[in-house]
Amino acid sequence: MTATTIPHPPALWLRDNCPCTECRDPRNGQKLFQITDLPADLAIGSAHEARTSRGEAAREIVWAPDGHRSCYPLAWLDAHSPASGAGHPGDGRTEADKELWSAADLLGRLPEARWAAYGSTDEVRAGALESVQRLGFVLLREVPCRDRQVLAVARTFGFVRETNYGELFEVRVEADPNNLAFTGARITPHTDNPYRDPVPTLQLLHCLANEARGGDSGLVDGFHGAALLRSEDPEAFRVLTRFPVEFAFADARTELRAHRPLIGADGLGRIREVRFNNRSTATLHHPAEVLEAFYRAYRSFGAVPLRPELQLEFRLAPGDCLVFDNTRLLHARTAFAESGARHLQGTYADLDGLASTLAVLRRSGGAR
């Protein structure tokens, strides 16, 4: 390929990505300039084939009007340049990067890993974390039934998100509960803590005992549910991605509020987050015609997670630890007899820590 046949991407984009040591700190790769430092009349003065200091085929640009020189490896340009037609892979958080599922899709293939293998083998750990990214959850088996062990699980891939419930919370029957989760009541599909901003993006539930009659667990792929709503009732989807809902929680020591849509979408309209929790939806204050449109859409979406074909049901056994994406999956449980022993310990963490750990595992060859 000759210099005259090489298409050039936008000049500012290209100069903004200059890899030279004048533009980036060689120790950490961070930029040493602001976008406003670049010439307002920036243009490509000349371009020719070259080699980097490591011998890679490259393209060297001489910039006008300042004469700055930039050398771009062709492999980097092929991977990133808009002129190549390559699309951005995304950040892993939208529906575009997920495998959406109904319950039948996962029959006989629940994403799971044994704790001993997860802790000793990078490939197993990477596979488990990839399952959280792709499917929204993983079930770790044979995790030691020790007090606070759920914190150790979270710290294998990230950092514990401490809340008003503490580092961890006990899911068991309490005499004076500040949340229905701490009773034997049935809990319908929901996401946790929608009244926080930012919301905890990961949740962990470690089963220590489950001898009660009832108390089975359930998961629903909220992204799949939102996608179904978009195809079946586009107007409801439009309303729920634009209407800010007030979520609230209060007890004697805490008062939390957040205003966010039930369905969060990115700038391209792709589903990125679901906040769905009828127990935490506060009184809405909007004109009557707005409320009419919202409640019609809310009812339409609220029926979707209750469809039997979307609900993946299973029973946690002592030693099981469920790790799931709290911005995507709705979790539920059946009612249980409060006379029986049922005790889970839970904690929150965040997807960025998990993504970082997985990226480092991939870099070191631990991913499949």
Side-chain angles (χ1 to χ4, degrees):
M1 181 179 288
T2 65
T4 57
T5 62
I6 298 174
H8 294 301
L12 273 173
W13 177 89
L14 198 56
R15 179 68 177 270
D16 189 42
N17 284 284
C18 177
C20 81
T21 56
E22 291 180 38
C23 293
R24 292 179 181 269
D25 188 312
R27 297 163 297 183
N28 53 46
Q30 293 185 339
K31 292 177 184 177
L32 299 172
F33 65 92
Q34 299 293 326
I35 193 66
T36 51
D37 294 335
L38 302 181
D41 54 348
L42 183 72
I44 294 173
S46 64
H48 60 273
E49 294 178 351
R51 293 278 172 181
T52 68
S53 59
R54 292 182 293 185
E56 302 166 294
R59 185 182 310 157
E60 185 175 72
I61 303 290
V62 179
W63 294 99
D66 59 354
H68 185 80
R69 291 178 178 267
S70 303
C71 192
Y72 303 93
L74 293 185
W76 184 90
L77 287 171
D78 287 342
H80 298 285
S81 173
S84 71
H88 191 279
D91 66 356
R93 295 285 292 274
T94 77
E95 60 179 311
D97 302 299
K98 310 297 186 185
E99 179 183 340
L100 307 189
W101 52 265
S102 296
D105 299 326
L106 297 182
L107 288 179
R109 65 176 194 104
L110 283 182
E112 60 180 52
R114 304 291 168 182
W115 175 248
Y118 173 88
S120 62
T121 308
D122 284 350
E123 184 177 355
V124 173
R125 183 176 301 188
L129 301 184
E130 286 173 345
S131 292
V132 178
Q133 281 197 330
R134 189 180 76 259
L135 296 171
F137 74 105
V138 70
L139 189 56
L140 300 177
R141 305 281 196 182
E142 301 169 359
V143 178
C145 290
R146 293 195 292 259
D147 183 46
R148 302 176 68 82
Q149 178 68 25
V150 69
L151 301 177
V153 177
R155 289 170 178 143
T156 64
F157 57 75
F159 304 94
V160 170
R161 169 86 83 88
E162 188 168 357
T163 70
N164 58 296
Y165 299 112
E167 280 191 315
L168 59 77
F169 50 91
E170 311 280 357
V171 185
R172 59 187 175 190
V173 174
E174 294 183 357
D176 186 22
N178 66 351
N179 194 303
L180 282 178
F182 310 136
T183 72
R186 173 194 178 217
I187 304 293
T188 54
H190 67 284
T191 62
D192 265 20
N193 289 210
Y195 41 77
R196 295 186 196 278
D197 196 10
V199 69
T201 51
L202 283 176
Q203 184 170 352
L204 292 80
L205 291 171
H206 181 210
C207 181
L208 300 178
N210 197 3
E211 300 168 10
R213 186 175 72 255
D216 292 348
S217 298
L219 293 174
V220 173
D221 185 350
F223 280 17
H224 182 43
L228 287 172
L229 182 74
R230 181 175 56 203
S231 65
E232 297 170 0
D233 192 343
E235 177 58 18
F237 182 84
R238 188 194 70 79
V239 169
L240 296 186
T241 56
R242 290 163 172 76
F243 187 96
V245 175
E246 182 177 340
F247 296 101
F249 173 84
D251 63 12
R253 298 180 298 117
T254 306
E255 186 160 341
L256 297 165
R257 291 182 182 273
H259 289 73
R260 285 290 182 270
L262 292 184
I263 302 172
D266 70 2
L268 299 177
R270 299 175 300 188
I271 300 161
R272 184 178 176 84
E273 179 182 273
V274 172
R275 295 195 189 209
F276 191 87
N277 190 319
N278 68 298
R279 291 173 288 133
S280 300
T281 304
T283 301
L284 305 180
H285 300 91
H286 293 276
E289 65 274 13
V290 175
L291 290 174
E292 290 281 358
F294 168 75
Y295 272 99
R296 191 200 72 78
Y298 184 23
R299 283 181 61 89
S300 185
F301 187 41
V304 175
L306 300 179
R307 297 178 186 179
E309 66 271 20
L310 296 192
Q311 298 186 31
L312 179 67
E313 296 180 343
F314 52 92
R315 186 173 181 85
L316 292 174
D320 289 343
C321 185
L322 181 65
V323 183
F324 61 95
D325 181 345
N326 186 51
T327 68
R328 174 185 174 187
L329 295 194
L330 284 61
H331 62 290
R333 71 149 192 250
T334 61
F336 65 92
E338 295 191 0
S339 58
R342 187 180 190 275
H343 184 196
L344 312 181
Q345 284 189 327
T347 194
Y348 298 112
D350 283 299
L351 283 163
D352 57 356
L354 184 148
S356 172
T357 298
L358 180 55
V360 171
L361 286 169
R362 285 172 173 158
R363 216 164 54 196
S364 61
R368 290 188 294 252

